[in-house]
Amino acid sequence: MTGQSLDAARLIGRIRTLGEIGRDADGRLVRLAASDTEKLGRDQFVTWVKGAGLDLAVDRIGNIFGIWKPDGVTDDAPLLLGSHIDTVIGAGIYDGCYGVLSGLEVIETLKAEGLTPSRPVVVAAFTNEEGVRYAPDMMGSLVYAGGLDIETALATIGTDGTVLGQELRRIGYAGEHEPGFFRPHAYIELHIEQGPVLEREGIPVAAVEYLQGISWQRVTITGDANHAGTTPISMRRDAGHAAARVITFLRDRARASNTPTVATVGCISFEPNAINVIPSRATFTVDLRDPDEDRLQEEEAALAEFLESISTEEQVGISVERLARFEPVKFDQGIVTLIETAARDRGLACRRMTSGAGHDAQMIARIAPSAMIFVPSIGGISHNPKEYTADEDLIAGANVLLDVVRRLATE
Ligand code: HGY
Ligand code: MN
Ligand code: MN
Ligand code: MN
């Protein structure tokens, strides 16, 4: 299956260039969805798409598509590649961008090769994969796959009080295409693993066959503000202490279970947030994940039950808002096998695995055969400036993508 390889220097150079766009005053990479810095990243990607001679399309949720449809291509259902270029706060330079830029590189390589595909090949940069500013995450691909109504998505209020649709208009990426204006023949997403498995096992490529379920909730606990010095412990309705008990409950339960369940409280805020005032309100997020849907539901039920008991014991009010809920996904076994074959044909060891992170492929799998390719993350670190993948692994993964696309684009 192997053929010509891609332009490694161009791909690595673009990853590094995009990785410098959107640094804050402290040098952290922050390209939150529909922000000014993300606009700069979008503009750079659009420049590269146009420079590659691809047609450009932007849909109403701001998903950007670079379309290669040579004359004579008859089949309308494109082969779709891509990922995202929005980031978390203090991100690495590979998460998402690696898949988008590799998809573009693969198309440019096949074009230069003079390949005549049987179908269009498209690379996408999906809006708001990270979900840090606007929940849920994977929003652009979820809307594209028909899992979230476009008007509801555009009306989403961000953590900063902004409205997504207004921000997309403000940055010039409220496109005119209806989401899902084309249905893909298949979708392949190349991504860094963001975990420790491949590096630990010394394996350069993974064919991802599953992606775990994700449950995001925001919990608000309300108690009474009171004086930190005069209020006896027994008379307190301490929202801060109640929140701390919930956080400890989640961690202890996940640690005690011999299952892959993970639980994370990533955001928390107190009101009035003063050193000598017992918190009247605590607001925090809960990120629960598990590869098994029944177990994920059990974890959600256990949390709900614990919140009930805490409300009584601590005499606090508790409300919960669901922010995102995605079931585990099994990817297309045919494409997974193709990825394994492509890797091995290049002499690369390859293993199958489950993705711990959410990805746009989780959404596109709802409407088309999809799969993912992972390459190792050094130290398993991601969502952190120390995120790193060796250039040779980046290129190996992109060449596997190239070979898989060459095959699927001509079948
Ligand atoms: O949360 C996730 O796993 C994804 O990076 N949005
Ligand atoms: Mn990602
Ligand atoms: Mn991410
Ligand atoms: Mn992701």
Side-chain angles (χ1 to χ4, degrees):
M1 249 169 64
T2 54
Q4 184 182 338
S5 290
L6 44 77
D7 182 335
R10 179 169 60 185
L11 175 57
I12 299 294
R14 285 177 172 169
I15 291 170
R16 297 233 166 90
T17 300
L18 189 53
E20 287 312 306
I21 296 175
R23 297 257 169 209
D24 69 9
D26 301 324
R28 296 182 310 173
L29 183 57
V30 187
R31 284 201 306 265
L32 299 187
S35 64
D36 290 327
T37 52
E38 202 225 7
K39 169 184 171 44
L40 298 176
R42 285 169 172 265
D43 292 349
Q44 177 60 74
F45 176 57
V46 165
T47 301
W48 284 328
V49 165
K50 288 179 177 168
L54 306 187
D55 293 330
L56 182 75
V58 180
D59 71 14
R60 290 182 58 203
I61 194 69
N63 295 323
I64 301 170
F65 301 96
I67 302 164
W68 177 40
K69 185 175 182 179
D71 296 338
V73 164
T74 48
D75 192 323
D76 263 352
L79 183 55
L80 183 59
L81 316 175
S83 193
H84 61 96
I85 61 170
D86 67 306
T87 75
V88 294
I89 300 167
I93 68 169
Y94 306 97
D95 179 358
C97 302
Y98 171 48
V100 172
L101 296 176
S102 296
L104 177 60
E105 180 59 38
V106 161
I107 292 174
E108 289 193 77
T109 302
L110 294 176
K111 269 188 84 189
E113 211 173 87
L115 182 94
T116 307
S118 56
R119 61 184 71 258
V121 186
V122 176
V123 57
F126 288 109
T127 294
N128 190 33
E129 191 276 350
E130 294 294 3
V132 169
R133 189 183 183 195
Y134 303 98
D137 58 348
M138 285 81 79
M139 188 190 278
S141 48
L142 179 63
V143 169
Y144 171 88
L148 177 63
D149 166 65
I150 176 68
E151 300 306 338
T152 306
L154 293 173
T156 305
I157 308 286
T159 50
D160 54 4
T162 58
V163 182
L164 177 57
Q166 292 171 12
E167 285 293 276
L168 285 171
R169 274 192 297 280
R170 186 180 63 79
I171 67 167
Y173 281 93
E176 73 281 352
H177 288 277
E178 283 306 315
F181 67 98
F182 67 85
R183 193 179 184 88
H185 170 69
Y187 176 70
I188 309 125
E189 181 169 355
L190 174 60
H191 206 287
I192 53 171
E193 178 202 337
Q194 301 181 288
V197 173
L198 291 177
E199 185 197 31
R200 191 176 55 210
E201 297 184 4
I203 295 177
V205 177
V208 183
E209 58 179 349
Y210 297 99
L211 197 154
Q212 68 178 343
I214 301 174
S215 162
W216 278 8
Q217 299 173 73
R218 181 182 292 124
V219 179
T220 302
I221 298 179
T222 45
D224 281 338
N226 216 325
H227 196 296
T230 59
T231 312
I233 292 291
S234 61
M235 289 176 64
R236 295 182 179 207
R237 298 181 64 240
D238 184 340
H241 175 251
R245 288 189 61 185
V246 177
I247 295 171
T248 304
F249 164 81
L250 286 165
R251 177 58 177 265
D252 290 351
R253 183 177 166 88
R255 197 204 322 246
S257 77
N258 56 1
T259 67
T261 310
V262 285
T264 310
V265 174
C267 310
I268 189 163
S269 62
F270 287 167
E271 289 174 28
N273 201 34
I275 186 167
N276 54 1
V277 181
I278 300 166
S280 56
R281 179 189 290 259
T283 307
F284 57 93
T285 56
V286 178
D287 178 323
L288 282 173
R289 306 198 192 196
D290 196 297
D292 179 279
E293 175 59 19
D294 293 342
R295 253 197 333 251
L296 188 53
Q297 288 180 21
E298 283 164 24
E299 293 310 307
E300 288 175 318
L303 172 60
E305 195 181 324
F306 187 73
L307 290 174
E308 275 291 315
S309 66
I310 282 291
S311 177
T312 310
E313 285 172 40
E314 300 286 344
Q315 296 178 60
V316 291
I318 296 186
S319 64
V320 179
E321 181 194 357
R322 181 180 286 295
L323 296 178
R325 181 61 165 89
F326 302 126
E327 294 198 359
V329 159
K330 179 175 183 170
F331 287 130
D332 181 86
Q333 293 303 296
I335 303 178
V336 173
T337 307
L338 213 48
I339 292 168
E340 282 178 315
T341 310
R344 288 172 187 148
D345 285 356
R346 280 189 178 264
L348 298 165
C350 179
R351 62 157 283 173
R352 294 188 176 209
M353 65 185 292
T354 294
S355 173
H359 295 290
D360 294 307
Q362 191 168 10
M363 305 303 135
I364 309 300
R366 295 169 179 225
I367 57 168
S370 303
M372 294 189 74
I373 305 169
F374 276 174
V375 294
S377 291
I378 302 304
I381 297 170
S382 185
H383 284 187
N384 178 319
K386 294 196 185 84
E387 179 183 282
Y388 180 70
T389 296
D391 288 0
E392 66 173 312
D393 288 337
L394 295 170
I395 299 309
N399 273 320
V400 170
L401 178 69
L402 172 68
D403 295 344
V404 170
V405 169
R406 187 184 277 114
R407 170 70 174 277
L408 289 175
T410 50
E411 65 177 15

